[in-house]
Amino acid sequence: DWTLPDAAPLMKALLTGDKTELYRDELLYSAMRSAGFLHIVAVSGMHVAFLVSLIELLAGRRRASVIGIPVLLVFMAMIGFTHSVVRAGIMQIVVLLAPLLRREADPPTSLGFALLLLLLVNPYAAASMSLQLSFAAVAGLQLVTPRIYRAMVLDEKGKLRLPKSAAGRALDWLISTFAASVGA
């Protein structure tokens, strides 16, 4: 029987990343852990992407690099430098640095650089399952997702197979979501 107070620790963890109350609620924590849902309250690359997108929206693309890098560093420190946030933060910083250095952003290079920095600080982190899964998921998103998506929406000549209607856009969304899930 779920009531609002029972959901409060979960909602606070989802919205703020503060899992203190979730850890105190042993029944909820145990249920989420055994069901394999504990990862949904982890602050991750999605949060970093939202933060950078908000900065770009408010400040514009050019100023986002100058503003975004220090904001990302503070955000990473606030979260506690977890593997997923550090990976996403470093990747975003490399992407934000690219235009300042008059270079093209390259996602595989950003991912490799993030891994290099993490392993330079702590070489034993290579044995961490969370680090391995985090990097494997992003590598899959970068390498596999686009191929699956293209195979599903493009014909042999490279033309879009989907109709240009609302149904076509909905199908495109479903296909891209499916491709991202498989890639990750």
Side-chain angles (χ1 to χ4, degrees):
D1 180 32
W2 280 72
T3 61
L4 189 57
D6 291 336
L10 175 61
M11 292 308 296
K12 185 174 182 182
L14 281 171
L15 297 172
T16 66
D18 181 3
K19 297 177 267 235
T20 310
E21 291 178 29
L22 181 67
Y23 293 144
R24 277 192 218 133
D25 187 336
E26 291 178 24
L27 185 63
L28 177 61
Y29 176 78
S30 175
M32 288 186 66
R33 185 170 174 212
S34 63
F37 289 127
L38 202 55
H39 70 278
I40 66 171
V41 295
V43 178
S44 64
M46 175 186 71
H47 299 87
V48 171
F50 284 157
L51 180 61
V52 171
S53 296
L54 178 65
I55 293 169
E56 286 180 346
L57 182 69
L58 296 175
R61 281 202 172 243
R62 289 188 176 253
R63 283 187 249 158
S65 296
V66 176
I67 296 168
I69 293 171
V71 169
L72 277 174
L73 291 170
V74 169
F75 180 73
M76 289 163 51
M78 284 177 30
I79 301 305
F81 295 106
T82 61
H83 291 308
S84 59
V85 171
V86 169
R87 178 207 27 86
I90 291 171
M91 287 182 66
Q92 279 294 325
I93 288 170
V94 171
V95 167
L96 291 171
L97 277 173
L100 294 176
L101 301 173
R102 295 189 177 131
R103 299 282 184 245
E104 246 182 75
D106 178 49
T109 301
S110 300
L111 183 64
F113 185 70
L115 181 60
L116 174 69
L117 284 182
L118 281 170
L119 294 178
L120 281 174
V121 171
N122 179 9
Y124 296 107
S128 165
M129 187 59 69
S130 66
L131 180 132
Q132 293 170 15
L133 290 174
S134 176
F135 278 85
V138 174
L141 286 168
Q142 290 179 357
L143 301 172
V144 177
T145 299
R147 291 180 178 142
I148 293 171
Y149 177 78
R150 284 192 303 268
M152 294 181 78
V153 299
L154 300 179
D155 63 16
E156 302 82 35
K157 297 177 184 176
K159 285 191 165 188
L160 191 65
R161 286 187 227 181
L162 304 175
K164 295 185 180 185
S165 62
R169 287 192 301 274
L171 186 57
D172 182 62
W173 180 83
L174 283 172
I175 291 170
S176 65
T177 302
F178 172 77
S181 296
V182 172

